Amino acid sequence: MRLCMSVAELRAEARRRVPRAIFEYADRGAYDEVTLRRNRAAFDDIELRQRVMIDISQRSVATTVLGQPWSMPVAIAPTGLTGLFHRNGEVEGALAAEAFGVPFALSTMSICSIEDVRAATQQPFWFQLYMLKDRGFNADMVARARGAGCSALILTADLVLQGVRRRDAHNGLTIPPRLTLANALDIMTKPTWALGVLLGKRRTFGNLAGRVEASGGLGTLSQWIASQSDCSITWKQIDWLRSVWPGKIIVKGILDAEDAKLAVAAGVDAIVVSNHGGRQLDGAAASIRALPEVVEAVGGRCEVLFDGGVQCGQDVLKALAYGARACLVGKAFLYGLAAGGRAGVTRMLELLRAELEVSMALTGVTDVREVDARVLRRR
Ligand SMILES: Cc1cc2nc3c(=O)[nH]c(=O)nc-3n(C[C@H](O)[C@H](O)[C@H](O)COP(=O)(O)O)c2cc1C
């Protein structure tokens, strides 16, 4: 893993190791992928301001978010089907994050269950909730997250309907999954991956076990989830969440100043400025472009986290300069995991930390908590 010198190199390694259908599930976006490309292009377009002859011998990238100390302002975003990228992927990811001192967010649609991750870890992790029509399911998920001592609940707001990811359809990664000749042949060329995932604790949605009668695995459960997605949820759901969840509430998928104000009015503890990594509304703004207006609308009344296109420490620095408290990483996490399991995720985190520290210092800042718009070059 030490030979991988960037997230791009981890991505290349991931591509070699996992079947194409799995790799592209992580790598690609919705429809024409305009927003997916925008997320990256917008970061590349931002110029940092190089400063010199400042004492940068003492440096720190440690911070606090939602009252908790983090070793750097980066958390692992919730990603569905993570356990298909590497055996027990969610547990491996959570352990890497824990050792590194950053939060791990477990998706409702994970392969390992809440209890699997709880049993393997010492530190509280975050749980991401999709609200389904089955209110009993939602209440049960929250109760399980409480039981597992999760420290925050992320409510994902931007996926009540799913944007179409065309590559998934072509690759047979549909609901239910379709085994095409091409992906069957592809899997045969990845025996290490296949053996690993087959030997994993689970191969279907761990949190939904026993939910669907006589569940035939991914297919039946996926159909159930698709039919269960609740398109009618509104900000009122936050009141319900508050009544059953005493901990922190984070709403993920805010891209608009108006929505940010509504989130604040609903009393959430934090929001994640996010376009779901370009996987939902194609044509939406790059997350980093939307960030300043959201930060302004929030006006410090809740914490603002950020995701979408973060692939290096310089991106983290830019997001902080635009007012984010911290970043979440989705694809970068999955590339690391697919490339090398826990060691791959650790490598990804090490790369981001080192890049952030050096780049921050070269803009003349020595403490990450002091990063602001002064690190950006005005044009
Ligand atoms: C393969 C994949 C699966 C994802 N699954 C979920 C999910 O289950 N729940 C969720 O809230 N977000 C999910 N996301 C979105 C991420 O949490 C995050 O918003 C996004 O990945 C950030 O953009 P980035 O991938 O460019 O870092 C997923 C993202 C990817 C790439």
Side-chain angles (χ1 to χ4, degrees):
M1 280 305 101
R2 300 222 142 257
L3 290 177
C4 284
M5 293 303 294
S6 65
V7 168
E9 290 179 27
L10 287 170
R11 175 177 178 271
E13 190 57 30
R15 179 179 237 150
R16 275 193 286 276
R17 293 202 184 207
V18 302
R20 195 165 96 169
I22 305 291
F23 177 77
E24 292 192 336
Y25 163 64
D27 198 56
R28 305 294 296 263
Y31 300 103
D32 289 341
E33 304 185 330
V34 172
T35 299
L36 175 78
R37 287 191 296 277
R38 270 185 192 156
N39 274 351
R40 284 295 325 138
F43 266 125
D44 289 346
D45 199 42
I46 298 168
E47 288 177 357
L48 292 169
R49 180 175 169 215
Q50 177 173 303
R51 300 293 310 281
V52 297
M53 302 295 276
I54 294 168
D55 181 355
I56 51 170
S57 50
Q58 301 295 318
R59 299 177 297 275
S60 168
V61 293
T63 189
T64 52
V65 181
L66 292 169
Q68 295 299 315
W70 295 17
S71 64
M72 69 168 164
V74 173
I76 299 208
T79 53
L81 299 181
T82 299
L84 295 186
F85 288 81
H86 191 276
R87 174 178 5 164
N88 303 329
E90 290 86 0
V91 165
E92 297 301 315
L95 287 171
E98 179 171 291
F100 212 88
V102 296
F104 173 84
L106 182 73
S107 165
T108 299
M109 302 308 169
S110 55
I111 298 291
C112 296
S113 69
I114 300 177
E115 292 76 19
D116 294 338
V117 177
R118 173 70 193 93
T121 53
Q122 305 293 321
Q123 296 294 323
F125 54 97
W126 291 357
F127 182 68
Q128 175 265 325
L129 183 70
Y130 278 128
M131 287 278 202
L132 301 188
K133 283 181 199 152
D134 181 343
R135 297 292 150 112
F137 169 85
N138 299 337
D140 186 41
M141 280 292 127
V142 174
R144 287 170 66 183
R146 272 185 85 165
C150 291
S151 52
L153 205 60
I154 303 180
L155 177 69
T156 297
D158 61 0
L159 199 140
V160 286
L161 276 181
Q162 208 174 15
V164 173
R165 299 165 207 146
R166 295 180 184 138
R167 283 312 308 170
D168 289 353
H170 289 304
N171 289 333
L173 205 84
T174 50
I175 298 172
R178 202 161 34 86
L179 190 66
T180 63
L181 179 64
N183 63 32
L185 291 173
D186 188 29
I187 287 170
M188 284 161 67
T189 67
K190 310 280 189 310
T192 315
W193 170 86
L195 197 66
V197 170
L198 282 176
L199 290 177
K201 189 166 179 176
R202 298 176 194 275
R203 284 173 295 285
T204 183
F205 298 111
N207 293 325
L208 310 185
R211 207 70 216 174
V212 184
E213 264 176 66
S215 117
L218 273 180
T220 321
L221 288 172
S222 305
Q223 281 165 330
W224 180 74
I225 295 158
S227 70
Q228 274 291 328
S229 189
D230 187 353
C231 298
S232 71
I233 67 158
T234 67
W235 290 107
K236 287 197 193 107
Q237 292 302 319
I238 302 293
D239 294 338
W240 171 77
L241 214 49
R242 273 266 168 258
S243 70
V244 289
W245 174 260
K248 304 284 185 199
I249 296 179
I250 304 170
V251 172
K252 174 167 164 290
I254 303 292
L255 213 57
D256 186 90
E258 216 45 54
D259 284 338
K261 287 181 192 160
L262 292 169
V264 169
V268 305
D269 298 287
I271 56 173
V272 186
V273 174
S274 172
N275 54 29
H276 218 98
R279 301 163 71 78
Q280 280 296 99
L281 176 63
D282 198 31
S287 300
I288 191 72
R289 289 275 169 242
L291 179 59
E293 68 193 55
V294 171
V295 168
E296 197 189 330
V298 166
R301 289 171 296 162
C302 75
E303 289 195 358
V304 178
L305 310 180
F306 170 88
D307 77 26
V310 174
Q311 303 264 315
C312 59
Q314 290 83 341
D315 295 341
V316 177
L317 182 63
K318 291 170 185 176
L320 299 186
Y322 273 50
R325 184 95 183 166
C327 296
L328 276 58
V329 286
K331 284 184 275 294
F333 158 60
L334 293 172
Y335 299 148
L337 183 70
R342 195 187 316 179
V345 179
T346 303
R347 183 68 186 142
M348 179 277 295
L349 293 169
E350 282 170 357
L351 285 165
L352 292 191
R353 184 176 57 191
E355 291 161 352
L356 171 62
E357 189 185 321
V358 169
S359 307
M360 173 185 82
L362 294 178
T363 63
V365 180
T366 53
D367 187 326
V368 84
R369 292 167 299 181
E370 285 164 15
V371 170
D372 62 17
R374 284 171 299 173
V375 306
L376 303 172
R377 199 172 91 91
R378 285 184 209 288
R379 282 183 282 180

